[in-house]
Amino acid sequence: MAAREFTDAIALLKADHRKVEELFEQFEKSRTAASKGKICHQICTELKIHTMIEEEIFYPALRGKIEDDTLDEAYVEHDGAKVLINDLESADPDADFYDAKVKVLSEDIKHHVREEEMPKEGMFAQARETDVDLVELRDRMLARKQELLAQAEASGLPAAKPGAVNLVPA
C-alpha cells in the first residue's frame, strides 16, 4: 500500500469506504455461516482500523477548522458502529439477529459515508477548504493503518472503544 496510491488523506479514506461497501455486498451474497463469519470479521477489522485512523489523526487535525457539529456527529456515529462491531465479533454467525446486526451496521456505515463524502457541505468537502496538509495526513494515517493491519494479523485488534457515547448498563 504505497502512499502514491492515494493522492491525499481523503482518497485513502474513500478507498476504505469502497472496500467496506464491497465486503458488505459479499456478506449479503454469502450463504454459509462460515463464510458470513469470515466476511463479517473482515468488515469489523476494516472498520476498527478506519475509525482509529480517523479518530487518532484525521478528525483531530480538522477540529476548529470545520464545523464542530460535523465532527461531533462523526464520533457519535462511530460509537454506534463500535457497539455493533463488538457485539458481532463476540457472536457466532448463526446466532439470533446476526444477519440483522450486519445489515444495520451496513446501513449506519452508508449513512456515515454519505455525510463524509457529501459534495459542498460534507466533512471531506469542508476539509478541502482548510489549510490542513492532506498529503501529510495521508502519510501519517497510512503508517498507522499499516501498524494496525500488522497487529490485526499478528494478535488481533482489541475491542472497539466508544469514546463519545456513555454505555449505560441495563
Side-chain angles (χ1 to χ4, degrees):
M1 208 182 318
R4 279 181 251 108
E5 286 182 57
F6 311 106
T7 54
D8 62 19
I10 293 170
L12 172 63
L13 295 173
K14 283 184 172 182
D16 284 356
H17 292 169
R18 302 296 84 80
K19 183 172 187 176
V20 171
E21 288 167 354
E22 184 179 308
L23 288 168
F24 278 121
E25 286 177 24
Q26 288 176 23
F27 183 90
E28 285 181 31
K29 293 174 185 170
S30 183
R31 296 291 165 240
T32 67
S35 174
K36 286 182 177 191
K38 182 179 176 191
I39 296 165
C40 184
H41 177 70
Q42 288 177 283
I43 290 168
C44 292
T45 299
E46 290 292 329
L47 289 174
K48 285 182 356 183
I49 291 170
H50 183 82
T51 59
M52 289 173 81
I53 66 173
E54 280 188 329
E55 291 179 6
E56 291 175 9
I57 301 166
F58 190 68
Y59 293 174
L62 297 178
R63 182 63 77 185
K65 297 182 180 282
I66 69 169
E67 294 173 12
D68 280 343
D69 288 350
T70 300
L71 284 170
D72 292 348
E73 287 176 27
Y75 280 107
V76 173
E77 288 169 353
H78 278 189
D79 280 3
K82 289 174 187 179
V83 170
L84 284 171
I85 289 166
N86 290 339
D87 193 35
L88 286 163
E89 290 225 297
S90 67
D92 199 48
D94 52 11
D96 289 344
F97 305 109
Y98 190 86
D99 287 8
K101 290 173 185 177
V102 173
K103 179 71 173 172
V104 170
L105 179 60
S106 172
E107 290 168 353
D108 289 350
I109 296 304
K110 283 177 188 164
H111 169 85
H112 180 73
V113 165
R114 211 171 22 255
E115 288 193 346
E116 285 188 338
E117 295 186 6
M118 195 178 347
K120 295 187 179 127
E121 66 257 1
M123 182 184 294
F124 295 168
Q126 289 182 49
R128 290 212 183 278
E129 299 298 319
T130 70
D131 61 353
V132 172
D133 185 342
L134 295 172
V135 173
E136 186 270 336
L137 276 186
R138 171 205 63 198
D139 294 345
R140 288 178 36 216
M141 291 166 56
L142 193 55
R144 180 65 172 133
K145 182 174 179 170
Q146 289 168 337
E147 286 174 13
L148 292 167
L149 284 167
Q151 180 182 346
E153 242 179 73
S155 59
L157 295 171
K161 293 181 185 162
V165 173
N166 296 316
L167 299 177
V168 179

